[in-house]
Amino acid sequence: MWKGRFQKATAALLTQYGESISFDWRLYKHDIAGSLAHAAALERAGIISGDELGQITEGLKSIERDIDAGDFEFKIELEDIHMNIESALTERIGAAGARLHTARSRNDQVALDVRLYCRQAVGDLLTKLRTMQSALIACGKRHQDAVIPGYTHLQRGQPVLFAHHLLAYVEMFGRDAGRLTDSLERINVMPLGSGALAGSTVPLDRDFVAEQLGFPAITHNSMDAVSDRDFVAELLFDLALIGAHLSRLSEDVVLWASAEFGFVTLSDAHTTGSSLMPQKKNPDIAELTRGKTGRLYGNLVSLLTTLKGLPMTYNRDLQEDKEPLFDSVDTVGIALDIFAEMVGEMTVETAVTRAACSDPMLFATDIADYLVKRGVPFRDAHEIVGRLTAHATTTGTPFPEIPLATYAEFSPVFDESVLALFDIETALAARTAVGAPSPANVAAELDRWSAKLA
Ligand code: ARG
């Protein structure tokens, strides 16, 4: 493509070192869509004839069909997807193909392709997030009466509904979807017409190109347009955070599936055995997802590091944007798919989770609230119940079995109504504030999300 200036052929090692076709071939549909729109703009500007536009269009479509069918030979000597397609086009249609690259550089071309890729990826990921949320909602509905201890510091705190725990993740994935949707505003900006860095003297109608490709906006600085990868960094962050959310859920699933908790049973289809220990049934999906989250963070840091020292404008370093991007999109995509499947077939062992809630210590906060409602300042109530807890622990007497006379020694405010506190259903039903886990609230939240996701 640049043979005019050079006397020596490219070193074999540089061909190998510099090629990106082994990964950027994935951009072929976006590259062809961009070329079709660019060719139409060239025709409008009088650079190519209607006949040439026809030949270019036919040529590009035949290349796309061949790549779709696996009948296209990518050549590493042609470095990247842009030159592979352009060279094949010229081979197929001759002179008209050689006019296509007028007023265009691979710098604005690759910026366009990556934006188109990101736009499509965001659309796909939004669908996958919705499927994942729906699987969590369905699991919550299947086990609508299941209670589970809520934890802080991995110490049992207060009972909640299992569905309330799952709905916490539905909220996280909802924010993730919101972030992805917001990112489209910055992804959806059309850079073609920026040339290598300073636009072109050819009068291209950039708005016309944008319109054909479905972009609501065009870039306003040619130098920024060819070197901006903010939108990629932003997407990598969004994906890293989805990874963080999936990884937290993974950790819950790993704990729940252990013999120590025994809260859930995973389907055989979503677990693996051991080559040595015949009894094992391992939650590999959760472990792999927790592990792959490290890669997602790495991909974000990798791109941020690539960007930090770059002088204006395009630098070849930017070719390093694609592998982390593709990897994060692929990794999060399959993780969401497989998690939705796993959650879809996960069974909650409701007798076990209920037994775990039978520890009367889980009602300590409710006893303090009981005192507060009878006029005791919360700090005093906290201390009274703290001493009561110490008494229960040292004497081995659970709260419901402590005699009323003993309660009265801790505070004169206690009467027999305190014994009504030690019932999970009563405790849950009393938690009626918006966002709190009363069964009525949780049912309403499951319905609200179902309607939102439908
Ligand atoms: N393969 C290159 C990339 O991914 C395309 C742009 C090449 N531009 C250049 N001036 N060498 O960034």
Side-chain angles (χ1 to χ4, degrees):
M1 294 279 168
W2 45 73
K3 57 185 183 299
R5 189 215 182 281
F6 288 76
Q7 260 104 57
K8 270 191 176 180
T10 310
L13 267 181
L14 174 51
T15 301
Q16 194 189 327
Y17 191 55
E19 66 85 19
S20 55
I21 189 63
S22 56
F23 48 89
D24 69 11
W25 69 269
R26 293 174 55 160
L27 297 173
Y28 75 95
K29 278 191 188 289
H30 307 306
D31 200 73
I32 288 170
S35 288
L36 289 170
H38 181 65
L42 289 176
E43 195 246 353
R44 279 199 155 196
I47 302 294
I48 59 172
S49 66
D51 181 49
E52 286 172 317
L53 174 59
Q55 292 176 43
I56 290 174
T57 305
E58 274 321 300
L60 287 171
K61 289 191 168 156
S62 77
I63 291 170
E64 183 170 12
R65 277 195 301 274
D66 289 354
I67 301 179
D68 282 343
D71 284 341
F72 187 92
E73 195 203 335
F74 293 112
K75 301 190 179 117
I76 71 161
E77 308 79 63
L78 292 171
E79 208 176 284
D80 56 27
I81 187 61
H82 326 293
M83 296 208 292
N84 267 272
I85 290 177
E86 192 192 331
S87 154
L89 182 69
T90 309
E91 247 171 51
R92 290 180 192 199
I93 67 168
R99 291 189 195 277
L100 175 63
H101 209 52
T102 311
R104 187 176 71 170
S105 155
R106 280 183 296 155
N107 299 351
D108 56 352
Q109 196 177 355
V110 73
L112 174 80
D113 292 5
V114 173
R115 284 174 183 275
L116 288 170
Y117 170 85
C118 288
R119 178 166 83 185
Q120 181 169 7
V122 165
D124 294 346
L125 288 161
L126 284 172
T127 305
K128 289 173 192 294
L129 277 171
R130 259 202 307 278
T131 306
M132 174 65 192
Q133 289 176 297
S134 301
L136 290 165
I137 302 281
C139 184
K141 286 188 172 172
R142 275 202 312 281
H143 303 97
Q144 202 149 342
D145 301 327
V147 290
I148 187 175
Y151 296 79
T152 62
H153 313 268
L154 203 54
Q155 307 286 318
R156 286 177 187 164
Q158 296 172 302
V160 291
L161 284 177
F162 180 76
H164 192 62
H165 192 132
L166 293 185
L167 279 163
Y169 286 101
V170 175
E171 293 285 335
M172 293 179 224
F173 294 125
R175 290 195 295 276
D176 291 330
R179 259 183 293 276
L180 286 176
T181 305
D182 295 346
S183 77
L184 284 173
E185 192 181 325
R186 285 164 297 281
I187 289 171
N188 252 332
V189 189
M190 207 289 297
L192 226 51
S194 303
L197 80 148
S200 166
T201 56
V202 175
L204 284 176
D205 185 346
R206 299 190 60 214
D207 289 317
F208 170 66
V209 176
E211 200 182 298
Q212 290 180 86
L213 292 167
F215 282 98
I218 61 175
T219 56
H220 280 263
N221 182 296
S222 60
M223 296 177 79
D224 179 42
V226 295
S227 59
D228 169 27
R229 296 294 183 276
D230 293 4
F231 60 98
V232 181
E234 190 177 342
L235 181 50
L236 288 176
F237 169 77
D238 294 349
L239 293 170
L241 198 54
I242 296 174
H245 294 152
L246 281 170
S247 188
R248 294 186 69 181
L249 179 54
S250 296
E251 182 58 19
D252 278 343
V253 169
V254 169
L255 288 172
W256 291 344
S258 68
E260 283 69 15
F261 277 76
F263 286 2
V264 300
T265 302
L266 299 174
S267 156
D268 285 358
H270 300 128
T271 47
T272 62
S274 158
S275 58
L276 191 147
M277 300 166 281
Q279 85 285 11
K280 291 300 286 294
K281 186 174 168 188
N282 300 324
D284 289 34
I285 292 174
E287 294 168 81
L288 283 165
T289 306
R290 196 175 54 189
K292 285 174 192 288
T293 300
R295 283 229 313 262
L296 300 175
Y297 292 4
N299 289 339
L300 169 62
V301 173
S302 158
L303 180 69
L304 288 173
T305 312
T306 298
L307 296 180
K308 76 182 268 288
L310 293 186
M312 291 291 271
T313 53
Y314 176 86
N315 298 269
R316 193 64 186 280
D317 315 44
L318 289 175
Q319 184 167 295
E320 291 294 315
D321 63 352
K322 281 171 232 29
E323 285 163 293
L325 172 63
F326 295 161
D327 182 56
S328 285
V329 170
D330 292 345
T331 301
V332 170
I334 191 167
L336 287 170
D337 286 347
I338 200 162
F339 244 89
E341 249 189 60
M342 182 179 76
V343 169
E345 287 182 40
M346 185 169 82
T347 307
V348 181
E349 301 301 340
T350 53
V352 179
T353 57
R354 186 165 283 271
C357 292
S358 68
D359 178 356
M361 286 300 171
L362 293 176
F363 300 103
T365 316
D366 293 50
I367 306 176
D369 288 348
Y370 169 96
L371 293 172
V372 165
K373 285 179 202 154
R374 292 168 173 238
V376 181
F378 181 74
R379 276 295 146 226
D380 299 340
H382 189 286
E383 197 203 318
I384 293 166
V385 182
R387 284 193 282 112
L388 194 67
T389 302
H391 171 83
T393 311
T394 49
T395 60
T397 328
F399 290 142
E401 285 162 37
I402 296 175
L404 258 185
T406 312
Y407 272 105
E409 284 169 25
F410 283 89
S411 167
V413 160
F414 282 120
D415 61 32
E416 72 286 342
S417 63
V418 70
L419 299 173
L421 294 178
F422 309 124
D423 173 67
I424 298 173
E425 267 65 38
T426 314
L428 286 175
R431 290 173 156 74
T432 55
V434 174
S438 75
N441 278 357
V442 171
E445 281 300 296
L446 289 170
D447 288 342
R448 184 177 71 85
W449 274 108
S450 299
K452 203 168 150 163
L453 295 169

